Amino acid sequence: MKELMLGNKAVARGLYEAGVCFVSSYPGTPSTEITEEAVKFDEIYCEWAPNEKVAMEGAFGASLAGKRAFCAQKHVGLNVAADPLFTMSYTGVNAGLLIVVADDAGMHSSQNEQDSRHYAIAAKVPMLEPSDSAEALAFTKTAYEISEKFDTPVIIKMCTRVAHSQSLTETGEREKHEKTYEKNIEKYVMMPGNAKKRHPVVEARTVALTEYAETSPLNRAEINSDKIGIITSSTCYQYVKEVLGDKVSVLKLGIVNPLPPKLIKDFAAKVEKLFVVEELDPIIETFVKSLGIAVKGSNILPRIDEFSQNMIADAFGEFVDAPKNANYTQIDDPIPSRPPVMCAGCPHRGLFYSLKKRKCTVLGDIGCYTLGAVKPLGAMDMTLCMGASVSASHGFNKMLGANDKNVVAVIGDSTFVHSGITGLANVAYNQSNSTIIILDNSITGMTGHQQNPTTGLNIKGEPAGKINLEALCRAMGFNRVRVVDPYNLAECDAAIKEETAANEASVIISRRPCALLKNVKHKPPLEVDKAKCIGCKACMRIGCPAISMKDGKSVVDTTQCVGCGVCSQLCPKDAFISTK
Amino acid sequence: MNNTKNIMIVGVGGQGSLLASKILGYILTNEGYDVKVSEVHGMSQRGGSVVTYVRFGDKVYSPIIDKGEADYIVSFEILETARWLPFLRPNGQIVTNTQQIDPMPVITGAVQYPQNICEKIKNLGVKIDALDCLTLAREAGSAKAVNIVLLGRLSHYFDISQQSWEKALTANVPAKFLELNKKAFVLGKDSVS
């Protein structure tokens, strides 16, 4: 019986069937569900690591120990883990080692749109690209065979539309694959003398992998036409088949690094016009051109955003009898946008209101609190990458701190452990007068509630080690470490005022659990006493989605309100009253 | 061209559209179709506009639905109905909740929430089946059952037995909420829009 299965769940199922024993990841959309599904198999040890580099190095250690190992991350997570990746290419593996990187063309939930295929090329490791859930499962198992046969880590590249789509998938049984650990200094100790011997091994491996790619069933030619040929992979294959069906020939690549020159030349020889359909960078197209073959791709399709069937129909309309895009209709009114917002009762809201009120320069970070940049709060000046709030505020303060004492960094608990601690070490060591605010909501929020080293629970919700943030900061040399409740505006305001004014670096921990956590007890919702409300809109300044204006008075949506009371602290007439 | 049918489920993050797509995916798979369901997780969940694509037929390739392609738009919120209207194919069917949830630009007063959306869509000659799902869901016992009320309404347009729908509900909702959801389904199905 085939099961309708999420692409990420299919990878997890593939890990189970391939006999994988070790999974370590840091959550990141759209990769998170792989690890969340893998943990449901008792046979696999799974963990959330503090960051992607730690996860990948953990997986490498497990492979060395002789057990098949795995780590998953989003595209920008691979930037963090790039360091071990490039040298793991030299050491190779013991038991199979698979890395999933999930790209986010279209930036549904990301800060950039980088194309991870560049990493496979640069690190000289094979990369597979499934186009649906059934392939995600099958490719995962094949990846381990490739990893052990060619002594290399293997990358599978997912994208949002493969990771977060469900399609019919057939499952199999778990296999057992284990090796023993044997000491091998020349292979695993990468100092210059040994690495020089390993580099030729890597180059020879690429030659062998290219031969493999020429005949592997993961690459397949579907010959239907001698007029038009399209080379494609991943979800783009689905769009091409959807629109052009059997009117064109298709070379579907399941292995996107290394690319197979003979297979491509043979395919090109069978068609009059050759095209490449690939999202983001023209990597296959550039390779085809390097073979001296004329090809179209980036001149008929954009290099930004994800594709869709209408885009394929538009691009190929002049070359083949593609179906015309259907007419569509719309109403004349402008449609207000609906951007994501901080939830009702979000503990970040109160703190960001205080930052806005004090006109702070706020160097931000990656997480739900990036929404502090959205109007009406607008209390953020920069967001770059995980941890950059702390390190960049150090640089900012070193240059402007003497003139502008109103600069803070804001970083969530999970992001702080991921990459903020090293930045904080720089503040402590090189002594900038920075104020770092750790927004401790006791969970990794944006990716959907994953535990982290500050929550005291592991991936299964069982008791685990718990980093004490106050003790950590004090041990690094900070004398000024204080904890505030972000539901208390006066407390937040005083802390920000005093710590930014202080003549030494300081840490404020804004602590209250995410309002969406199931174990959080809320007060009854508030409502507005219409007789008291004067319609001054003071409560509207916090951007709470539960408060709106109706007929000149504030109204609370009691299905959303969790009674946090931040609004009532702004009301000059005490018009917010409990519904209890 | 193949016989693939397209259903779009649209709404506001947190309204429960994932359960609706899960039940649809389950029932269509059991009916023997090739099925693809596609959604986006992450940032868009935080009160933003959310969309799920459900496609079924003999052989489904693309996991997404493009402008002018949806046979059905199932909408949890009336502004979202208007937002995604261009995705409806000519002669397609809308099934929508009439509930209004103000987005942040409306809350801050930067823009106005469009008025009389249902009538405006009707005036374009579009088939729209609009009902107050929130009231019906509360009648069934929980405001959270809006998704099941909508599914009940959608079931009008499919040749799938009541038994199959009940089986899908039983398999996908917690046992203690099953009766509530069955009631919500029937209320949606039998209501006059």
Side-chain angles (χ1 to χ4, degrees):
Chain A
M1 166 84 190
K2 285 185 175 179
E3 185 186 334
L4 189 61
M5 197 182 283
L6 193 70
N8 279 345
K9 185 178 177 181
V11 172
R13 180 74 205 186
L15 297 176
Y16 168 78
E17 292 180 14
V20 169
C21 296
F22 181 95
V23 170
S24 183
S25 304
Y26 183 81
T29 312
S31 71
T32 312
E33 298 82 4
I34 301 173
T35 305
E36 291 180 324
E37 290 293 338
V39 76
K40 293 175 184 170
F41 297 107
D42 288 339
E43 294 86 345
I44 308 176
Y45 169 80
C46 290
E47 64 180 23
W48 290 126
N51 70 30
E52 296 86 354
K53 177 178 177 330
V54 173
M56 190 178 288
E57 290 159 352
F60 177 71
S63 157
L64 205 59
K67 309 287 186 180
R68 285 188 167 183
F70 175 81
C71 63
Q73 57 255 288
K74 66 184 298 172
H75 57 329
V76 287
L78 191 53
N79 299 339
V80 178
D83 200 1
L85 173 69
F86 278 68
T87 304
M88 274 162 34
S89 173
Y90 279 35
T91 61
V93 302
N94 184 21
L97 176 57
L98 172 62
I99 296 153
V100 157
V101 59
D103 279 16
D104 189 18
M107 291 181 276
H108 298 279
S109 198
S110 303
Q111 67 269 39
N112 79 24
E113 203 171 25
Q114 68 190 49
D115 187 330
S116 295
R117 292 178 296 172
H118 294 291
Y119 274 110
I121 297 165
K124 305 183 186 219
V125 296
M127 176 179 267
L128 315 183
E129 216 178 4
S131 71
D132 61 15
S133 299
E135 284 190 353
L137 194 160
F139 285 20
T140 297
K141 292 167 79 172
T142 306
Y144 281 96
E145 291 166 19
I146 295 172
S147 175
E148 289 175 1
K149 182 176 177 189
F150 294 95
D151 190 8
T152 177
V154 176
I155 303 176
I156 284 185
K157 175 180 167 266
M158 302 285 277
C159 64
T160 297
R161 297 306 178 183
V162 176
H164 283 171
S165 292
Q166 302 168 49
S167 56
L168 297 178
T169 307
E170 227 159 337
T171 57
E173 298 299 315
R174 182 168 167 92
E175 300 162 6
K176 193 169 179 177
H177 298 274
E178 289 185 6
K179 300 200 170 184
T180 50
Y181 170 65
E182 283 169 31
K183 186 166 180 164
N184 187 341
I185 291 175
E186 290 197 341
K187 185 170 188 288
Y188 293 122
V189 182
M190 282 303 96
M191 51 190 185
N194 291 340
K196 278 182 183 177
K197 289 178 202 150
R198 291 300 298 178
H199 191 180
V201 175
V202 172
E203 298 304 326
R205 183 180 72 204
T206 298
V207 173
L209 279 163
T210 305
E211 276 305 309
Y212 173 84
E214 296 285 7
T215 56
S216 164
L218 269 55
N219 295 330
R220 70 167 186 265
E222 300 173 4
I223 305 296
N224 299 307
S225 154
D226 54 7
K227 299 279 190 298
I228 305 279
I230 297 174
I231 305 174
T232 188
S233 70
S234 184
T235 192
C236 296
Y237 167 79
Q238 306 291 356
Y239 304 144
V240 166
K241 293 298 284 185
E242 175 84 27
V243 177
L244 304 172
D246 294 340
K247 291 174 189 164
V248 296
S249 293
V250 174
L251 178 58
K252 184 198 177 292
L253 298 176
I255 305 173
V256 292
N257 189 62
L259 290 166
K262 281 196 281 251
L263 191 62
I264 290 171
K265 280 179 188 163
D266 287 352
F267 180 75
K270 287 178 184 151
V271 294
E272 284 175 22
K273 284 200 176 75
L274 186 67
F275 298 85
V276 171
V277 176
E278 59 187 326
E279 284 174 348
L280 302 179
D281 297 337
I283 289 173
I284 299 172
E285 182 184 343
T286 304
F287 181 80
V288 173
K289 284 179 177 163
S290 79
L291 300 173
I293 300 170
V295 63
K296 284 186 159 65
S298 54
N299 52 346
I300 61 166
L301 283 158
R303 296 270 58 90
I304 53 171
D305 211 339
E306 56 180 356
F307 293 172
S308 69
Q309 43 265 39
N310 280 358
M311 288 168 74
I312 303 298
D314 283 341
F316 285 92
E318 63 174 293
F319 306 107
V320 62
D321 181 25
K324 294 276 183 295
N325 291 335
N327 293 326
Y328 59 87
T329 186
Q330 54 198 358
I331 65 170
D332 293 332
D333 299 53
I335 308 288
S337 66
R338 192 185 297 277
V341 292
M342 286 181 191
C343 307
C346 176
H348 302 321
R349 178 172 287 107
L351 189 102
F352 274 93
Y353 176 75
S354 294
L355 292 173
K356 186 192 181 187
K357 190 181 157 202
R358 300 216 68 81
K359 297 188 170 61
C360 289
T361 298
V362 181
L363 303 180
D365 225 298
I366 308 286
C368 290
Y369 47 92
T370 312
L371 295 171
V374 178
K375 283 179 181 172
L377 290 167
M380 194 162 286
D381 293 74
M382 177 220 78
T383 298
L384 186 65
C385 63
M386 299 284 281
S389 59
V390 183
S391 351
S393 81
H394 171 80
F396 198 96
N397 281 312
K398 277 286 180 189
M399 293 299 104
L400 295 181
N403 306 321
D404 183 357
K405 292 199 128 190
N406 220 11
V407 182
V408 301
V410 293
I411 184 166
D413 49 329
S414 188
T415 308
F416 176 71
V417 177
H418 179 288
S419 289
I421 295 174
T422 40
L424 198 67
N426 199 30
V427 173
Y429 170 50
N430 285 310
Q431 306 227 318
S432 59
N433 188 2
S434 299
T435 299
I436 311 300
I437 304 176
I438 302 174
L439 304 164
D440 180 5
N441 66 349
S442 310
I443 203 73
T444 312
M446 183 104 266
T447 44
H449 287 173
Q450 289 76 30
Q451 303 297 339
N452 70 55
T454 71
T455 66
L457 299 172
N458 68 16
I459 191 170
K460 291 184 168 178
E462 300 160 344
K466 180 177 167 68
I467 291 176
N468 181 322
L469 291 173
E470 296 93 307
L472 174 71
C473 297
R474 291 211 176 88
M476 289 172 105
F478 289 85
N479 300 313
R480 303 183 69 99
V481 179
R482 65 199 275 182
V483 179
V484 298
D485 177 0
Y487 277 3
N488 185 331
L489 294 182
E491 195 180 324
C492 288
D493 197 55
I496 293 164
K497 184 180 175 189
E498 289 161 26
E499 297 311 324
T500 51
N503 284 320
E504 61 180 305
S506 56
V507 176
I508 301 171
I509 299 169
S510 170
R511 179 168 290 149
R512 182 165 279 270
C514 172
L516 298 183
L517 282 172
K518 287 198 175 118
N519 58 354
V520 171
K521 295 272 182 288
H522 293 298
K523 289 182 181 169
L526 301 179
E527 60 185 347
V528 176
D529 182 341
K530 285 214 168 92
K532 287 185 180 171
C533 177
I534 53 170
C536 69
K537 297 186 180 176
C539 55
M540 305 295 286
R541 283 185 233 139
I542 49 173
C544 177
I547 307 175
S548 55
M549 296 295 285
K550 290 271 152 43
D551 304 324
K553 307 265 181 184
S554 294
V555 185
V556 176
D557 175 356
T558 52
T559 64
Q560 286 197 67
C561 177
V562 297
C564 77
V566 170
C567 55
S568 61
Q569 294 169 56
L570 297 171
C571 181
K573 298 291 177 187
D574 292 325
F576 289 93
I577 49 173
S578 175
T579 51
K580 196 177 176 184
Chain B
M1 208 51 199
N2 60 37
N3 64 348
T4 302
K5 291 281 179 197
N6 301 319
I7 308 171
M8 276 174 80
I9 305 170
V10 305
V12 178
Q15 276 193 298
S17 62
L18 290 188
L19 179 63
S21 63
K22 194 177 167 192
I23 291 170
L24 273 177
Y26 177 92
I27 202 164
L28 293 166
T29 305
N30 279 351
E31 294 287 310
Y33 293 108
D34 187 22
V35 181
K36 283 189 176 171
V37 177
S38 186
E39 58 216 14
V40 171
H41 311 190
M43 183 65 110
S44 57
Q45 286 181 320
R46 303 286 174 262
S49 172
V50 292
V51 56
T52 304
Y53 308 107
V54 179
R55 310 191 72 216
F56 64 101
D58 293 338
K59 172 70 188 165
V60 179
Y61 286 106
S62 171
I64 61 169
I65 297 169
D66 217 327
K67 278 187 178 173
E69 288 191 338
D71 296 277
Y72 301 93
I73 291 178
V74 181
S75 174
F76 284 66
E77 200 270 351
I78 195 69
L79 177 62
E80 294 309 308
T81 310
R83 184 188 317 286
W84 296 98
L85 177 62
F87 283 72
L88 194 71
R89 72 163 167 74
N91 218 25
Q93 174 73 48
I94 291 173
V95 176
T96 185
N97 184 7
T98 51
Q99 192 181 349
Q100 172 176 337
I101 300 174
D102 288 353
M104 195 49 67
V106 171
I107 290 177
T108 60
V111 291
Q112 295 286 312
Y113 195 103
Q115 297 300 304
N116 306 319
I117 291 174
C118 263
E119 286 69 29
K120 285 171 184 166
I121 293 175
K122 236 175 243 169
N123 291 342
L124 292 167
V126 173
K127 293 190 283 186
I128 179 165
D129 188 354
L131 62 163
D132 179 356
C133 298
L134 191 58
T135 301
L136 292 170
R138 284 186 173 135
E139 195 180 325
S142 167
K144 288 182 180 167
V146 161
N147 46 16
I148 307 299
V149 173
L150 271 171
L151 274 188
R153 193 70 200 169
L154 181 70
S155 72
H156 260 298
Y157 301 96
F158 287 84
D159 189 18
I160 294 173
S161 71
Q162 181 68 18
Q163 272 177 319
S164 298
W165 286 103
E166 284 193 9
K167 190 179 159 204
L169 284 179
T170 308
N172 289 288
V173 304
K176 61 176 173 175
F177 298 122
L178 183 59
E179 283 313 309
L180 186 160
N181 280 304
K182 277 185 181 173
K183 194 176 169 191
F185 188 90
V186 172
L187 280 171
K189 190 177 175 206
D190 294 345
S191 72
V192 179
S193 74

